[in-house]
């Protein structure tokens, strides 16, 4: 009870201590004699360990449950926690694969053999049969296995948008389909916010804006468990419609909601995206931005979020170069993540092209912008403010190369595509 009260107060460190203390009092044979208590203690300990970035102990507690669980359903919660831990470290591909396997065991098929266009159109057609008011008043989901299935689907959204963007529409469609057919769950807003972001990136920002606002309204109906992620993705669409400075403040709300829910991943993401937008378009001094990234680096390190740590290091490297510092910024995980995560690779190539352009290093700018073009379609299915920066600088580099290259028409076409 003390641990659960601490969780309600968002003190996940204290909660973990209480649950771990409770586990230490369990006697030999507790899984046979006190199964329900043991299951609950180990589940909550694994969840709190994840929330405070203790991935090793989260894994240990989860493995204990998976070993002793009397049914597949009893192990689902820690299976979900395990896939989250993988996604937060350098195991995102494994996390996605395990989630898909578990969903198949729950008889949920993403049907990804269809074309992306067909999937998007089917979802649009499905949503035209309901008004926003009808969606908001959809009954609550009550089936336990469906509720946890939507958690796996929701976790796939952000993972797939980084390394398998072609599959994002299929995950999004499944969340929306299940929400309308089986009832709205705490994860349903994720489906609507990603759909809004997806169709915004495809050019229909007006409709996308409608769906991200609908997702935010759904939070009032189903609770704020996923509020940090919903606010984060919604804000990136809002920036294209509302005054940017005002919209960016929503990332502060997303950060706060994430901290309350024990969701350090989306706390970091909200801050990272806000800082990136300030760097690109808000006119903030470089030294101020660098200080913000230093604080964010500490948060990412504390919670073992390696993907974000690499992204932060890439940005710190550029800012230091622009300031005139020779300080080296490296992280040992970068090379591995560049090889396995398309979003990290895309950011790496863009940042190398950008800094080469800023210092007029023609050969390096050309080499890295070509690498960027090769990988840019395989990362981030949803709309981001950073896409403006990507388009601006890759366009400028393309026109620069066109003036010096024998293949001018090809480069002019690339530059025009960035407009």
């Amino acid at each position: 009870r003390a641990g659960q009260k601490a969780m309600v107060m968002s003190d996940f460190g204290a909660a973990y201590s209480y649950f771990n203390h409770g586990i230490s009092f369990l006697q030999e044979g507790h899984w046979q004699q006190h199964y329900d208590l043991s299951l609950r203690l180990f589940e909550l300990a694994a969840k709190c360990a994840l929330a405070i970035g203790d991935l090793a102990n989260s894994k240990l507690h989860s493995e204990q449950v998976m070993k002793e669980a009397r049914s597949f359903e009893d192990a689902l919660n820690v299976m979900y926690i395990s896939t989250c831990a993988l996604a937060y470290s350098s195991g995102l591909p494994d996390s996605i694969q395990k989630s898909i396997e578990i969903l198949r065991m729950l008889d949920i098929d993403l049907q990804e053999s269809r074309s992306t266009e067909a999937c998007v159109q089917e979802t649009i057609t499905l949503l035209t049969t309901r008004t926003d008011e009808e969606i908001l008043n959809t009954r609550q989901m009550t089936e336990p296995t469906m509720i946890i299935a939507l958690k796996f689907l929701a976790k796939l959204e952000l993972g797939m948008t980084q390394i398998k963007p072609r599959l994002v529409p299929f995950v999004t469609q499944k969340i929306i389909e299940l929400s309308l057919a089986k009832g709205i769950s705490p994860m349903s807003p994720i489906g609507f916010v990603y759909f809004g972001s997806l169709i915004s990136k495809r050019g229909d920002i007006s409709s996308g804006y409608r769906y991200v606002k609908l997702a935010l309204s759904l939070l009032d109906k189903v609770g704020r468990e996923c509020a940090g992620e919903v606010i984060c993705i919604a804000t990136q669409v809002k920036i294209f419609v509302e005054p940017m400075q005002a919209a960016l403040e929503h990332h502060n709300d997303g950060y706060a909601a994430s901290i309350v829910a024990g969701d350090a991943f989306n706390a970091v993401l909200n801050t990272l995206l806000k800082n990136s937008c300030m760097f690109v378009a808000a006119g903030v001094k470089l030294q101020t931005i660098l200080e913000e990234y230093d604080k964010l680096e500490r948060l990412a390190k504390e919670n073992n979020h390696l993907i974000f740590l690499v992204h932060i290091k890439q940005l710190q490297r550029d800012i230091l170069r622009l300031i005139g510092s020779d300080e080296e910024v490296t992280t040992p995980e970068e090379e591995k993540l560049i090889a396995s995560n398309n979003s990290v690779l895309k950011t790496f190539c863009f940042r190398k092209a950008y800094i080469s352009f800023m210092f007029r290093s023609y050969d390096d700018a050309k080499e890295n912008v070509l690498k960027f073009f090769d990988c840019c379609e395989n990362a981030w299915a949803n709309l981001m403010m950073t896409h403006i920066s990507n388009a601006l600088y890759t366009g400028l580099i393309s026109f620069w190369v066109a003036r010096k290259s024998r293949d001018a028409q090809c480069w002019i076409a690339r530059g025009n595509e960035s407009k």
Side-chain angles (χ1 to χ4, degrees), residues 264-321:
F265 185 87
N266 280 296
V268 175
L269 182 58
N270 270 284
T271 310
L272 177 62
L273 291 177
K274 180 182 178 182
N275 288 352
S276 298
C277 293
M278 290 165 64
F279 181 31
V280 170
V284 179
K285 291 182 179 180
L286 288 175
Q287 187 61 48
T288 302
I289 292 291
L290 185 60
E291 291 167 4
E292 291 298 318
Y293 277 122
D294 288 343
K295 288 190 286 186
L296 185 57
E297 179 190 1
R298 289 194 291 273
L299 180 61
K301 276 184 176 178
E302 287 169 6
N303 291 279
N304 289 308
H305 292 320
L306 300 183
I307 292 173
F308 290 146
L309 187 59
V310 170
H311 277 300
I312 293 163
K313 289 291 188 182
Q314 292 171 346
L315 288 156
Q316 286 173 321
R317 198 153 47 214
D318 281 2
I319 295 170
L320 286 166
R321 285 286 308 278

Side-chain angles (χ1 to χ4, degrees), residues 374-392:
D374 285 342
C375 67
C376 67
E377 293 301 319
N378 293 318
W380 295 111
N382 46 319
L383 186 66
M384 295 286 185
M385 173 68 178
T386 51
H387 294 154
I388 296 175
S389 175
N390 291 350
L392 171 63

Side-chain angles (χ1 to χ4, degrees), residues 7 37 77 117 172 229-230 240 252 261 294 361 381-383 410:
M7 289 179 71
L37 174 62
N77 283 327
E117 186 62 34
T172 302
E229 185 170 354
V230 172
F240 289 82
N252 293 334
D294 288 343
S361 177
N382 46 319
L383 186 66
C410 174

Side-chain angles (χ1 to χ4, degrees), residues 156-386:
L156 280 176
E157 290 274 33
L158 191 54
M160 282 185 168
T161 202
Q162 294 179 68
I163 65 173
K164 293 187 176 182
R166 193 194 79 80
L167 299 182
V168 170
F170 302 97
V171 177
T172 302
Q173 182 189 50
K174 188 59 66 174
I175 293 174
I176 292 172
E177 278 183 351
L178 290 172
S179 297
L180 297 181
K182 302 285 188 179
I184 298 292
S185 92
M187 294 296 116
S188 294
I190 293 284
F192 288 93
V193 79
Y194 274 92
F195 186 66
S197 183
L198 174 69
I199 61 175
S200 293
K201 188 178 181 185
R202 294 166 68 90
D204 189 356
I205 291 181
S206 176
S207 295
Y209 184 56
R210 170 198 165 195
Y211 287 117
V212 302
K213 289 195 296 182
L214 176 60
L216 291 167
S217 296
L218 276 170
L219 293 175
D220 295 329
K221 297 284 185 178
V222 300
R224 299 180 65 80
E225 183 178 348
C226 66
E229 185 170 354
V230 172
I231 293 170
C232 182
I233 303 302
T235 298
Q236 289 294 302
V237 175
K238 284 186 169 188
I239 287 170
F240 289 82
V241 180
E242 302 174 5
M244 187 182 72
Q245 291 285 12
L248 278 178
E249 291 304 311
H250 294 305
H251 277 308
N252 293 334
D253 300 331
Y255 172 86
S258 300
I259 292 297
V260 168
D263 183 3
F265 185 87
N266 280 296
V268 175
L269 182 58
N270 270 284
T271 310
L272 177 62
L273 291 177
K274 180 182 178 182
N275 288 352
S276 298
C277 293
M278 290 165 64
F279 181 31
V280 170
V284 179
K285 291 182 179 180
L286 288 175
Q287 187 61 48
T288 302
I289 292 291
L290 185 60
E291 291 167 4
E292 291 298 318
Y293 277 122
D294 288 343
K295 288 190 286 186
L296 185 57
E297 179 190 1
R298 289 194 291 273
L299 180 61
K301 276 184 176 178
E302 287 169 6
N303 291 279
N304 289 308
H305 292 320
L306 300 183
I307 292 173
F308 290 146
L309 187 59
V310 170
H311 277 300
I312 293 163
K313 289 291 188 182
Q314 292 171 346
L315 288 156
Q316 286 173 321
R317 198 153 47 214
D318 281 2
I319 295 170
L320 286 166
R321 285 286 308 278
L322 292 170
I323 289 173
S325 171
D326 293 328
E327 181 182 341
E328 288 292 328
V329 177
T330 59
T331 181
E333 297 83 10
E334 185 171 30
E335 186 175 343
K336 180 180 179 180
L337 284 170
I338 285 173
S340 64
N341 187 310
N342 290 330
S343 72
V344 176
L345 173 62
K346 178 184 175 181
T347 302
F348 176 81
C349 294
F350 172 74
R351 301 247 58 95
K352 295 283 281 186
Y354 165 80
I355 206 68
S356 299
F357 174 73
M358 296 301 286
F359 286 93
R360 298 301 185 266
S361 177
Y362 174 80
D363 290 338
D364 288 341
K366 180 180 178 182
E367 177 186 351
N368 285 290
V369 82
L370 280 170
K371 291 178 180 177
F372 172 85
F373 287 135
D374 285 342
C375 67
C376 67
E377 293 301 319
N378 293 318
W380 295 111
N382 46 319
L383 186 66
M384 295 286 185
M385 173 68 178
T386 51

Side-chain angles (χ1 to χ4, degrees), residues 104-115:
R104 285 175 180 155
M105 295 172 74
L106 293 170
D107 294 324
I108 293 177
D109 183 5
L110 298 179
Q111 298 177 318
E112 62 265 29
S113 59
R114 296 167 294 158
S115 72

